[in-house]
Amino acid sequence: MSLPELPVQYADFAVWQRDWLSGEVLDGRLAVWRERLAGIPDVLELPIDRPRPAVQSLDGATVEVRVPADLTRVLRDIGRDENATLFMTLLSAFAVLLSRFSGQSDVVVGTPVAGRGPAELEGLVGFFVNTLVLRCDVSGDPEFGELLERVREVALEAYAYQDLPFERLVDELAPDRSLSHSPLFQVMFSLQNAHGRQLELPGIEVSSYDVPLTTTNFDLSLHLAEDTEGLVGVFEYRTALFDASTVGRFADAYVRLLDQIAATMGEVSVSSLSVLAEGERDRLVSEWNATAVELPGLPVHELVVEQARLRPDAV
């Protein structure tokens, strides 16, 4: 069986990209990205379990996450009401999660794009994936629907200018480089909606084999994929920064946020969305803060003097 000859080869694409992405075209794209990413934070300060190493480690692991099919359908409907895709809805919820745990309202997330816009590239073997930098504005305590609208506009503009290679963008923006973290963003998000087919070979039974992940390129990544039962995916994380239990809380909190968004159809302020499980808030606010002690009726400076008298050798 002979396959039809491809209209272009990978070398043709490389030449086209180099020739086209120059001059005014290149300057225009750089100007847009430079404006959109001006003043982004150097690092998203998530609550890590250990100090960040001076040189980032690539050691990684994963924690599974699953979103049921009925919840996925509601989230898709919420996005449709806002003229947004499921990807945009899930990313908006992820931005809420990151903002809540980092305490930052300027949340920068990376996401991969296939990079196969021209029809001639659909059947061509080669690596066309590019990375987009999405800046999510969670400030002002918007309703989730308003946040989704912000994220949709950011994503649509990024798609329109997706042909600027990420490496060229980093060179142009020239952020302060550090070996301790990746430039521009440290968190990745992706949604795989291309349903894979089971490989069938005559006379051979084929099954998939999951290879455990042991490396990662970013502090934290959420990779989701659609299947017949909803969404399945993993939180991928640096083991030098996070414990599995911490990332497990991230995963639980993310699904909890999605449940609340679905229950309110997105008509709820971001500050009203809780990342805490039932009873967890009371434990944090009340139980762990029940630190009242009986003190003698003395001014604080006299209490210090008294302790110094009783324990002169203590620090």
Side-chain angles (χ1 to χ4, degrees):
M1 177 180 176
S2 60
L3 297 175
E5 187 174 343
L6 291 170
V8 296
Q9 298 294 325
Y10 192 85
D12 298 320
F13 164 77
V15 171
W16 168 82
Q17 185 187 56
R18 184 178 60 209
D19 291 344
W20 179 77
L21 200 59
S22 61
E24 293 184 0
V25 172
L26 176 61
D27 292 341
R29 276 153 174 73
L30 287 173
V32 169
W33 282 109
R34 194 184 302 114
E35 179 182 352
R36 297 299 178 265
L37 300 180
I40 61 172
D42 292 333
V43 179
L44 186 64
E45 298 287 358
L46 292 171
I48 55 181
D49 295 302
R50 285 169 289 282
R52 183 181 293 275
V55 178
Q56 58 185 326
S57 167
L58 297 181
D59 294 339
T62 59
V63 169
E64 292 186 359
V65 61
R66 177 170 285 279
V67 181
D70 54 348
L71 176 54
T72 303
R73 284 192 293 271
V74 175
L75 294 170
R76 195 189 304 277
D77 291 341
I78 291 174
R80 187 178 296 116
D81 290 342
E82 299 291 340
N83 294 316
T85 63
L86 179 61
F87 168 86
M88 297 170 185
T89 305
L90 295 170
L91 174 58
S92 298
F94 191 45
V96 174
L97 179 80
L98 297 175
S99 176
R100 190 64 55 81
F101 277 106
S102 69
Q104 297 169 241
S105 60
D106 194 354
V107 177
V108 184
V109 178
T111 191
V113 287
R116 291 178 178 266
E120 295 85 355
L121 303 181
E122 290 182 1
L124 183 60
V125 174
F127 187 78
F128 300 91
V129 175
N130 191 23
T131 301
L132 301 182
V133 185
L134 305 181
R135 187 178 194 177
C136 305
D137 177 13
V138 194
S139 65
D141 191 24
E143 281 200 350
F144 182 79
E146 181 184 343
L147 174 62
L148 177 53
E149 183 178 347
R150 295 179 188 179
V151 171
R152 177 174 63 87
E153 294 302 319
V154 167
L156 290 176
E157 185 175 51
Y159 298 153
Y161 296 97
Q162 64 176 281
D163 42 26
L164 180 69
F166 175 73
E167 295 78 9
R168 187 62 186 268
L169 178 61
V170 174
D171 290 341
E172 172 65 22
L173 296 181
D176 293 335
R177 302 300 293 268
S178 171
L179 296 178
S180 67
H181 60 80
S182 56
L184 301 188
F185 68 88
Q186 298 80 45
V187 176
M188 174 73 79
F189 176 82
S190 69
L191 172 63
Q192 177 59 261
N193 55 8
H195 300 284
R197 294 185 302 174
Q198 182 67 37
L199 180 63
E200 298 179 358
L201 299 174
I204 300 177
E205 182 177 339
V206 180
S207 60
S208 61
Y209 178 78
D210 292 330
V211 179
L213 181 140
T214 58
T215 62
T216 184
N217 292 321
F218 302 100
D219 292 356
L220 187 71
S221 301
L222 174 55
H223 302 295
L224 296 171
E226 295 185 66
D227 64 11
T228 56
E229 299 180 1
L231 297 169
V232 62
V234 293
F235 272 82
E236 185 180 301
Y237 64 95
R238 289 196 196 279
T239 54
L241 299 180
F242 298 104
D243 292 332
S245 58
T246 299
V247 180
R249 287 195 294 273
F250 291 165
D252 292 342
Y254 182 64
V255 177
R256 195 173 299 119
L257 285 173
L258 296 179
D259 278 329
Q260 295 168 74
I261 292 166
T264 59
M265 294 303 291
E267 297 179 356
V268 60
S269 64
V270 167
S271 64
S272 300
L273 297 171
S274 175
V275 296
L276 300 177
E278 186 175 351
E280 194 173 4
R281 177 179 174 82
D282 288 339
R283 184 165 65 252
L284 291 174
V285 174
S286 301
E287 181 181 338
W288 288 359
N289 281 285
T291 57
V293 295
E294 292 294 330
L295 295 174
L298 296 174
V300 172
H301 70 282
E302 291 188 16
L303 291 174
V304 174
V305 171
E306 179 64 11
Q307 284 300 312
R309 184 187 67 81
L310 294 173
R311 305 171 61 202
D313 297 327
V315 176

